[in-house]
């Protein structure tokens, strides 16, 4: 059974840091496009970061560029999102997701990429207080 389990969320103050983890089971994600998304109450889901480990490709939304870093440990079949300099507007439920199509590199985050990823986890809550 294909499953993604997110963890690492919590409550921090502005300027703080958190590291989210997304552990995959049931399949190998070393050549899979993996993404981090977030959704705040009353807002649309936002694609935050993408990684294609096999090609060393990463992508970040402008809202998090320079503050967040996505990485992947293929030995642990896990994707991470290191979040630094957190702001109240980063408060949201964070999810990881994967692209089921066989894509590589830039194709993992081209076009309307945020609409094609598949979510298989429960998410992890991040709350940043002023």
């Amino acid at each position: 059974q294909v499953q993604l389990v997110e963890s690492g969320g919590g409550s921090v103050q502005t300027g703080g840091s958190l590291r989210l983890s997304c552990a995959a089971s049931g399949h190998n994600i070393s050549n899979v496009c993996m993404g981090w998304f977030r959704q705040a109450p009353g807002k649309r889901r936002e694609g935050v970061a993408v990684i294609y480990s096999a090609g060393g490709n990463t992508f970040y939304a402008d809202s998090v560029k320079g503050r967040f870093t996505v990485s992947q440990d293929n030995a642990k079949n896990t994707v991470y999102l290191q979040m630094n300099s957190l702001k109240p507007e980063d408060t949201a439920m964070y999810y990881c997701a994967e692209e089921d199509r066989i894509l590589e590199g830039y194709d993992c985050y081209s076009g309307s990429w945020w609409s094609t990823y598949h979510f298989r986890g429960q998410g992890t809550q991040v709350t940043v207080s002023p």
Side-chain angles (χ1 to χ4, degrees):
Q1 181 180 358
V2 175
Q3 193 173 12
L4 300 174
V5 178
E6 302 96 336
S7 62
S11 297
V12 297
Q13 292 186 324
T14 296
S17 297
L18 286 171
R19 188 176 83 152
L20 307 183
S21 299
C22 170
S25 60
H27 65 306
N28 187 302
I29 62 170
S30 62
N31 60 349
V32 174
C33 305
M34 300 296 297
W36 281 100
F37 295 74
R38 66 186 181 187
Q39 188 165 19
K43 294 189 176 182
R44 297 174 65 177
R45 188 167 60 201
E46 175 188 15
V48 173
V50 174
I51 184 167
Y52 178 67
S53 177
N57 304 92
T58 58
F59 168 85
Y60 299 93
D62 288 342
S63 57
V64 306
K65 199 172 295 183
R67 300 187 298 122
F68 290 11
T69 302
V70 61
S71 61
Q72 186 163 325
D73 185 337
N74 291 325
K76 296 182 178 179
N77 219 32
T78 299
V79 181
Y80 303 97
L81 185 67
Q82 177 67 43
M83 305 186 297
N84 298 328
S85 302
L86 283 162
K87 306 174 182 179
E89 50 263 44
D90 294 318
T91 295
M93 185 71 80
Y94 283 71
Y95 303 88
C96 69
E98 57 188 350
E99 172 60 73
D100 283 351
R101 295 175 296 169
I102 301 175
L103 300 178
E104 298 180 352
Y106 171 78
D107 290 337
C108 294
Y109 44 90
S110 64
S112 301
W113 62 271
W114 54 88
S115 65
T116 61
Y117 278 60
H118 292 260
F119 295 79
R120 299 189 168 97
Q122 298 300 313
T124 186
Q125 176 69 38
V126 171
T127 303
V128 184
S129 57

